[in-house]
Amino acid sequence: MTPAYIGVGSNLDEPLLHVKQALQELAALPRSRLTRHSSLYRSSPVGFAQQPDYINAVAALQTGLDARALLGELQKLEARHGRKRSFANAPRTLDLDLLVFGERQIAEPDLVVPHPRMHERAFVLQPLIEIAPDLSIPGRGDAAAWLRRCADQKVERVAP
């Protein structure tokens, strides 16, 4: 079993509901077990700014799936929630990002792990260190140290 961390986010069509449902659905993934999830957080959009705020969380899994199979399962969940991929940083009903997959570093055209921008985003790091305070991001280092570098990014806890 491999420990994996999944970023969960939504800013369309009742985002709190999408995030809560996605956390339940992650618990039902094949050959995987949800071990923990963070509180829910509100954050401003990154990139395309003319859209609603996001609700974000991070889930911890133990999985027997390989990284590519896990990514496929995450994309199926997104599709069931009506995810449309119109342009980069577009609003979305559900966004599931494979943040960390054990100690693996993967750089393929459609699969990059750890997530390439996670260390720059407080909305990922805050919920991540809530559930894994001592996590070291493979190839990047201490997640908590990266969060301190993002102190100017506002992230607000909205639900346990």
Side-chain angles (χ1 to χ4, degrees):
M1 298 293 275
T2 302
Y5 293 91
I6 311 301
V8 183
S10 174
N11 75 334
L12 292 178
D13 302 333
E14 299 186 57
L16 274 169
L17 182 61
H18 281 290
V19 170
K20 288 178 179 179
Q21 286 178 340
L23 291 170
Q24 291 175 349
E25 292 165 334
L26 288 170
L29 289 180
R31 299 177 46 212
S32 301
R33 182 171 50 91
L34 177 70
T35 58
R36 194 158 186 210
H37 69 78
S38 71
S39 301
L40 278 55
Y41 292 84
R42 177 178 287 111
S43 64
S44 297
V46 172
F48 179 65
Q50 295 179 334
Q51 59 180 307
D53 284 351
Y54 276 83
I55 300 298
N56 300 101
V58 170
L61 301 176
Q62 288 288 330
T63 185
L65 300 172
D66 64 31
R68 181 156 304 285
L70 179 56
L71 177 64
E73 292 294 331
L74 298 179
Q75 290 172 340
K76 287 179 195 174
L77 279 178
E78 289 177 336
R80 284 199 298 269
H81 282 260
R83 168 78 189 264
K84 306 269 190 278
R85 297 181 185 274
S86 52
F87 59 90
N89 299 315
R92 56 204 72 157
T93 53
L94 184 62
D95 185 31
L96 297 172
D97 289 325
L98 179 52
L99 301 173
V100 174
F101 190 79
E103 295 296 320
R104 298 274 317 270
Q105 294 183 56
I106 304 167
E108 298 175 3
D110 59 345
L111 176 62
V112 178
V113 179
H115 188 281
R117 292 169 303 283
M118 68 177 284
H119 64 286
E120 301 170 342
R121 296 180 170 171
F123 68 83
V124 172
L125 295 167
Q126 184 67 47
L128 178 63
I129 67 166
E130 176 188 327
I131 61 172
D134 300 322
L135 184 75
S136 179
I137 301 167
R140 294 280 181 197
D142 183 45
W146 283 106
L147 179 60
R148 288 190 291 276
R149 294 179 184 135
C150 299
D152 61 328
Q153 298 174 28
K154 183 181 176 203
V155 178
E156 172 191 9
R157 185 175 167 185
V158 293

